[in-house]
PDB file of all heavy atoms in Angstrom:
ATOM      1  N   ALA A   1      98.421  89.741 107.330  1.00 98.00           N
ATOM      2  CA  ALA A   1      98.310  89.163 105.985  1.00 98.00           C
ATOM      3  C   ALA A   1      96.868  89.244 105.475  1.00 98.00           C
ATOM      4  O   ALA A   1      96.628  89.564 104.304  1.00 98.00           O
ATOM      5  CB  ALA A   1      98.794  87.710 106.000  1.00 98.00           C
ATOM      6  N   VAL A   2      95.921  88.980 106.357  1.00 98.00           N
ATOM      7  CA  VAL A   2      94.502  89.009 105.967  1.00 98.00           C
ATOM      8  C   VAL A   2      94.097  90.437 105.571  1.00 98.00           C
ATOM      9  O   VAL A   2      93.388  90.645 104.575  1.00 98.00           O
ATOM     10  CB  VAL A   2      93.619  88.476 107.117  1.00 98.00           C
ATOM     11  CG1 VAL A   2      92.146  88.648 106.805  1.00 98.00           C
ATOM     12  CG2 VAL A   2      93.943  87.003 107.392  1.00 98.00           C
ATOM     13  N   LYS A   3      94.573  91.421 106.329  1.00 98.00           N
ATOM     14  CA  LYS A   3      94.267  92.827 105.993  1.00 98.00           C
ATOM     15  C   LYS A   3      94.913  93.217 104.663  1.00 98.00           C
ATOM     16  O   LYS A   3      94.307  93.905 103.839  1.00 98.00           O
ATOM     17  CB  LYS A   3      94.779  93.754 107.110  1.00 98.00           C
ATOM     18  CG  LYS A   3      94.035  93.608 108.421  1.00 98.00           C
ATOM     19  CD  LYS A   3      94.726  94.440 109.504  1.00 98.00           C
ATOM     20  CE  LYS A   3      94.148  94.178 110.876  1.00 98.00           C
ATOM     21  NZ  LYS A   3      94.898  94.880 111.937  1.00 98.00           N
ATOM     22  N   MET A   4      96.156  92.798 104.462  1.00 99.00           N
ATOM     23  CA  MET A   4      96.870  93.115 103.223  1.00 99.00           C
ATOM     24  C   MET A   4      96.112  92.555 102.014  1.00 99.00           C
ATOM     25  O   MET A   4      95.899  93.249 101.014  1.00 99.00           O
ATOM     26  CB  MET A   4      98.288  92.530 103.311  1.00 99.00           C
ATOM     27  CG  MET A   4      99.168  92.731 102.094  1.00 99.00           C
ATOM     28  SD  MET A   4      98.939  91.497 100.799  1.00 99.00           S
ATOM     29  CE  MET A   4      99.298  89.977 101.678  1.00 99.00           C
ATOM     30  N   LEU A   5      95.685  91.291 102.122  1.00 98.00           N
ATOM     31  CA  LEU A   5      94.938  90.661 101.030  1.00 98.00           C
ATOM     32  C   LEU A   5      93.644  91.443 100.752  1.00 98.00           C
ATOM     33  O   LEU A   5      93.289  91.697  99.589  1.00 98.00           O
ATOM     34  CB  LEU A   5      94.614  89.211 101.403  1.00 98.00           C
ATOM     35  CG  LEU A   5      93.717  88.427 100.439  1.00 98.00           C
ATOM     36  CD1 LEU A   5      94.388  88.251  99.085  1.00 98.00           C
ATOM     37  CD2 LEU A   5      93.356  87.059 101.037  1.00 98.00           C
ATOM     38  N   GLY A   6      92.956  91.836 101.823  1.00 98.00           N
ATOM     39  CA  GLY A   6      91.717  92.606 101.670  1.00 98.00           C
ATOM     40  C   GLY A   6      91.943  93.921 100.949  1.00 98.00           C
ATOM     41  O   GLY A   6      91.199  94.283 100.032  1.00 98.00           O
ATOM     42  N   ALA A   7      92.990  94.640 101.323  1.00 99.00           N
ATOM     43  CA  ALA A   7      93.275  95.944 100.700  1.00 99.00           C
ATOM     44  C   ALA A   7      93.642  95.776  99.227  1.00 99.00           C
ATOM     45  O   ALA A   7      93.252  96.579  98.380  1.00 99.00           O
ATOM     46  CB  ALA A   7      94.387  96.656 101.457  1.00 99.00           C
ATOM     47  N   MET A   8      94.398  94.711  98.925  1.00 98.00           N
ATOM     48  CA  MET A   8      94.870  94.512  97.552  1.00 98.00           C
ATOM     49  C   MET A   8      93.696  94.491  96.569  1.00 98.00           C
ATOM     50  O   MET A   8      93.732  95.119  95.516  1.00 98.00           O
ATOM     51  CB  MET A   8      95.660  93.202  97.466  1.00 98.00           C
ATOM     52  CG  MET A   8      96.258  92.903  96.102  1.00 98.00           C
ATOM     53  SD  MET A   8      95.116  92.209  94.895  1.00 98.00           S
ATOM     54  CE  MET A   8      94.697  90.637  95.673  1.00 98.00           C
ATOM     55  N   TYR A   9      92.637  93.748  96.922  1.00 98.00           N
ATOM     56  CA  TYR A   9      91.528  93.669  95.965  1.00 98.00           C
ATOM     57  C   TYR A   9      90.554  94.842  96.120  1.00 98.00           C
ATOM     58  O   TYR A   9      89.925  95.285  95.163  1.00 98.00           O
ATOM     59  CB  TYR A   9      90.787  92.319  96.115  1.00 98.00           C
ATOM     60  CG  TYR A   9      89.508  92.410  96.912  1.00 98.00           C
ATOM     61  CD1 TYR A   9      88.268  92.564  96.287  1.00 98.00           C
ATOM     62  CD2 TYR A   9      89.533  92.387  98.310  1.00 98.00           C
ATOM     63  CE1 TYR A   9      87.105  92.686  97.028  1.00 98.00           C
ATOM     64  CE2 TYR A   9      88.375  92.504  99.044  1.00 98.00           C
ATOM     65  CZ  TYR A   9      87.159  92.661  98.401  1.00 98.00           C
ATOM     66  OH  TYR A   9      86.003  92.799  99.130  1.00 98.00           O
ATOM     67  N   PHE A  10      90.426  95.379  97.348  1.00 98.00           N
ATOM     68  CA  PHE A  10      89.399  96.380  97.630  1.00 98.00           C
ATOM     69  C   PHE A  10      89.629  97.680  96.857  1.00 98.00           C
ATOM     70  O   PHE A  10      88.679  98.360  96.471  1.00 98.00           O
ATOM     71  CB  PHE A  10      89.346  96.667  99.142  1.00 98.00           C
ATOM     72  CG  PHE A  10      88.137  97.466  99.553  1.00 98.00           C
ATOM     73  CD1 PHE A  10      86.928  96.835  99.792  1.00 98.00           C
ATOM     74  CD2 PHE A  10      88.200  98.843  99.687  1.00 98.00           C
ATOM     75  CE1 PHE A  10      85.799  97.560 100.156  1.00 98.00           C
ATOM     76  CE2 PHE A  10      87.082  99.584 100.055  1.00 98.00           C
ATOM     77  CZ  PHE A  10      85.882  98.933 100.292  1.00 98.00           C
ATOM     78  N   PHE A  11      90.904  98.023  96.611  1.00 99.00           N
ATOM     79  CA  PHE A  11      91.199  99.304  95.956  1.00 99.00           C
ATOM     80  C   PHE A  11      91.477  99.173  94.459  1.00 99.00           C
ATOM     81  O   PHE A  11      91.942 100.107  93.819  1.00 99.00           O
ATOM     82  CB  PHE A  11      92.342 100.017  96.688  1.00 99.00           C
ATOM     83  CG  PHE A  11      91.939 100.445  98.077  1.00 99.00           C
ATOM     84  CD1 PHE A  11      92.449  99.804  99.199  1.00 99.00           C
ATOM     85  CD2 PHE A  11      91.008 101.451  98.267  1.00 99.00           C
ATOM     86  CE1 PHE A  11      92.054 100.162 100.485  1.00 99.00           C
ATOM     87  CE2 PHE A  11      90.596 101.832  99.540  1.00 99.00           C
ATOM     88  CZ  PHE A  11      91.123 101.185 100.654  1.00 99.00           C
ATOM     89  N   LEU A  12      91.159  98.002  93.901  1.00 98.00           N
ATOM     90  CA  LEU A  12      91.184  97.862  92.440  1.00 98.00           C
ATOM     91  C   LEU A  12      90.085  98.737  91.844  1.00 98.00           C
ATOM     92  O   LEU A  12      89.166  99.175  92.545  1.00 98.00           O
ATOM     93  CB  LEU A  12      90.940  96.405  92.047  1.00 98.00           C
ATOM     94  CG  LEU A  12      92.029  95.395  92.459  1.00 98.00           C
ATOM     95  CD1 LEU A  12      91.515  93.965  92.286  1.00 98.00           C
ATOM     96  CD2 LEU A  12      93.314  95.601  91.667  1.00 98.00           C
ATOM     97  N   ARG A  13      90.150  98.983  90.540  1.00 98.00           N
ATOM     98  CA  ARG A  13      89.110  99.789  89.887  1.00 98.00           C
ATOM     99  C   ARG A  13      87.863  98.921  89.691  1.00 98.00           C
ATOM    100  O   ARG A  13      87.921  97.860  89.083  1.00 98.00           O
ATOM    101  CB  ARG A  13      89.623 100.285  88.530  1.00 98.00           C
ATOM    102  CG  ARG A  13      88.616 101.111  87.748  1.00 98.00           C
ATOM    103  CD  ARG A  13      89.212 101.544  86.409  1.00 98.00           C
ATOM    104  NE  ARG A  13      88.211 102.212  85.603  1.00 98.00           N
ATOM    105  CZ  ARG A  13      87.319 101.594  84.832  1.00 98.00           C
ATOM    106  NH1 ARG A  13      87.311 100.272  84.771  1.00 98.00           N
ATOM    107  NH2 ARG A  13      86.448 102.289  84.109  1.00 98.00           N
ATOM    108  N   GLY A  14      86.744  99.376  90.238  1.00 98.00           N
ATOM    109  CA  GLY A  14      85.500  98.611  90.135  1.00 98.00           C
ATOM    110  C   GLY A  14      84.732  98.678  91.437  1.00 98.00           C
ATOM    111  O   GLY A  14      85.143  99.343  92.395  1.00 98.00           O
ATOM    112  N   THR A  15      83.616  97.986  91.477  1.00 98.00           N
ATOM    113  CA  THR A  15      82.779  97.928  92.684  1.00 98.00           C
ATOM    114  C   THR A  15      83.235  96.750  93.537  1.00 98.00           C
ATOM    115  O   THR A  15      83.236  95.616  93.053  1.00 98.00           O
ATOM    116  CB  THR A  15      81.296  97.772  92.285  1.00 98.00           C
ATOM    117  OG1 THR A  15      80.893  98.922  91.536  1.00 98.00           O
ATOM    118  CG2 THR A  15      80.406  97.613  93.501  1.00 98.00           C
ATOM    119  N   PRO A  16      83.629  96.991  94.800  1.00 98.00           N
ATOM    120  CA  PRO A  16      84.064  95.873  95.648  1.00 98.00           C
ATOM    121  C   PRO A  16      82.885  95.103  96.247  1.00 98.00           C
ATOM    122  O   PRO A  16      81.907  95.692  96.690  1.00 98.00           O
ATOM    123  CB  PRO A  16      84.889  96.558  96.755  1.00 98.00           C
ATOM    124  CG  PRO A  16      84.465  97.985  96.756  1.00 98.00           C
ATOM    125  CD  PRO A  16      83.791  98.294  95.462  1.00 98.00           C
ATOM    126  N   PHE A  17      83.023  93.781  96.237  1.00 98.00           N
ATOM    127  CA  PHE A  17      82.043  92.878  96.843  1.00 98.00           C
ATOM    128  C   PHE A  17      82.710  92.196  98.034  1.00 98.00           C
ATOM    129  O   PHE A  17      83.797  91.638  97.892  1.00 98.00           O
ATOM    130  CB  PHE A  17      81.595  91.818  95.835  1.00 98.00           C
ATOM    131  CG  PHE A  17      80.621  92.321  94.799  1.00 98.00           C
ATOM    132  CD1 PHE A  17      81.020  93.250  93.846  1.00 98.00           C
ATOM    133  CD2 PHE A  17      79.307  91.890  94.791  1.00 98.00           C
ATOM    134  CE1 PHE A  17      80.122  93.731  92.885  1.00 98.00           C
ATOM    135  CE2 PHE A  17      78.397  92.364  93.839  1.00 98.00           C
ATOM    136  CZ  PHE A  17      78.816  93.285  92.893  1.00 98.00           C
ATOM    137  N   ILE A  18      82.040  92.244  99.184  1.00 98.00           N
ATOM    138  CA  ILE A  18      82.539  91.581 100.399  1.00 98.00           C
ATOM    139  C   ILE A  18      81.570  90.435 100.697  1.00 98.00           C
ATOM    140  O   ILE A  18      80.355  90.648 100.745  1.00 98.00           O
ATOM    141  CB  ILE A  18      82.551  92.563 101.589  1.00 98.00           C
ATOM    142  CG1 ILE A  18      83.481  93.751 101.310  1.00 98.00           C
ATOM    143  CG2 ILE A  18      82.959  91.858 102.887  1.00 98.00           C
ATOM    144  CD1 ILE A  18      83.305  94.909 102.301  1.00 98.00           C
ATOM    145  N   TYR A  19      82.082  89.243 100.902  1.00 98.00           N
ATOM    146  CA  TYR A  19      81.217  88.108 101.231  1.00 98.00           C
ATOM    147  C   TYR A  19      81.129  87.944 102.748  1.00 98.00           C
ATOM    148  O   TYR A  19      82.126  88.150 103.453  1.00 98.00           O
ATOM    149  CB  TYR A  19      81.768  86.823 100.588  1.00 98.00           C
ATOM    150  CG  TYR A  19      80.907  85.616 100.913  1.00 98.00           C
ATOM    151  CD1 TYR A  19      79.662  85.457 100.312  1.00 98.00           C
ATOM    152  CD2 TYR A  19      81.310  84.676 101.852  1.00 98.00           C
ATOM    153  CE1 TYR A  19      78.840  84.379 100.631  1.00 98.00           C
ATOM    154  CE2 TYR A  19      80.498  83.585 102.165  1.00 98.00           C
ATOM    155  CZ  TYR A  19      79.261  83.455 101.556  1.00 98.00           C
ATOM    156  OH  TYR A  19      78.453  82.397 101.884  1.00 98.00           O
ATOM    157  N   GLN A  20      79.970  87.569 103.251  1.00 98.00           N
ATOM    158  CA  GLN A  20      79.773  87.496 104.707  1.00 98.00           C
ATOM    159  C   GLN A  20      80.885  86.693 105.390  1.00 98.00           C
ATOM    160  O   GLN A  20      81.227  85.590 104.969  1.00 98.00           O
ATOM    161  CB  GLN A  20      78.401  86.916 105.046  1.00 98.00           C
ATOM    162  CG  GLN A  20      78.203  85.469 104.673  1.00 98.00           C
ATOM    163  CD  GLN A  20      76.795  84.976 105.010  1.00 98.00           C
ATOM    164  OE1 GLN A  20      75.800  85.622 104.703  1.00 98.00           O
ATOM    165  NE2 GLN A  20      76.706  83.814 105.641  1.00 98.00           N
ATOM    166  N   GLY A  21      81.451  87.271 106.455  1.00 98.00           N
ATOM    167  CA  GLY A  21      82.522  86.604 107.200  1.00 98.00           C
ATOM    168  C   GLY A  21      83.906  86.959 106.697  1.00 98.00           C
ATOM    169  O   GLY A  21      84.897  86.801 107.411  1.00 98.00           O
ATOM    170  N   GLN A  22      83.984  87.453 105.460  1.00 98.00           N
ATOM    171  CA  GLN A  22      85.276  87.888 104.913  1.00 98.00           C
ATOM    172  C   GLN A  22      85.837  89.036 105.749  1.00 98.00           C
ATOM    173  O   GLN A  22      87.052  89.117 105.988  1.00 98.00           O
ATOM    174  CB  GLN A  22      85.075  88.331 103.464  1.00 98.00           C
ATOM    175  CG  GLN A  22      86.327  88.826 102.763  1.00 98.00           C
ATOM    176  CD  GLN A  22      86.003  89.406 101.387  1.00 98.00           C
ATOM    177  OE1 GLN A  22      85.154  88.899 100.668  1.00 98.00           O
ATOM    178  NE2 GLN A  22      86.672  90.486 101.021  1.00 98.00           N
ATOM    179  N   GLU A  23      84.926  89.900 106.224  1.00 98.00           N
ATOM    180  CA  GLU A  23      85.356  91.063 107.015  1.00 98.00           C
ATOM    181  C   GLU A  23      85.867  90.663 108.394  1.00 98.00           C
ATOM    182  O   GLU A  23      86.379  91.509 109.131  1.00 98.00           O
ATOM    183  CB  GLU A  23      84.207  92.076 107.128  1.00 98.00           C
ATOM    184  CG  GLU A  23      83.114  91.740 108.117  1.00 98.00           C
ATOM    185  CD  GLU A  23      82.064  90.726 107.630  1.00 98.00           C
ATOM    186  OE1 GLU A  23      82.281  90.073 106.586  1.00 98.00           O
ATOM    187  OE2 GLU A  23      81.020  90.596 108.298  1.00 98.00           O
ATOM    188  N   LEU A  24      85.723  89.378 108.742  1.00 98.00           N
ATOM    189  CA  LEU A  24      86.285  88.872 110.004  1.00 98.00           C
ATOM    190  C   LEU A  24      87.560  88.082 109.755  1.00 98.00           C
ATOM    191  O   LEU A  24      88.226  87.652 110.704  1.00 98.00           O
ATOM    192  CB  LEU A  24      85.269  87.959 110.705  1.00 98.00           C
ATOM    193  CG  LEU A  24      83.884  88.550 111.010  1.00 98.00           C
ATOM    194  CD1 LEU A  24      82.987  87.493 111.645  1.00 98.00           C
ATOM    195  CD2 LEU A  24      83.998  89.773 111.912  1.00 98.00           C
ATOM    196  N   GLY A  25      87.875  87.823 108.477  1.00 98.00           N
ATOM    197  CA  GLY A  25      89.027  86.969 108.161  1.00 98.00           C
ATOM    198  C   GLY A  25      88.723  85.499 108.384  1.00 98.00           C
ATOM    199  O   GLY A  25      89.594  84.729 108.795  1.00 98.00           O
TER     200      GLY A  25
END
């Protein structure tokens, strides 16, 4: 579920921003 949520926003049109710790879920 955490990976799915990440992909949903990451491939939208625009520059993706990742907040520290988000990449760990």
Side-chain angles (χ1 to χ4, degrees):
V2 173
K3 292 173 188 174
M4 179 276 302
L5 174 64
M8 182 280 296
Y9 100 95
F10 192 84
F11 293 109
L12 294 167
R13 179 181 174 276
T15 298
F17 284 67
I18 299 167
Y19 179 73
Q20 67 182 47
Q22 179 187 322
E23 77 280 12
L24 304 177

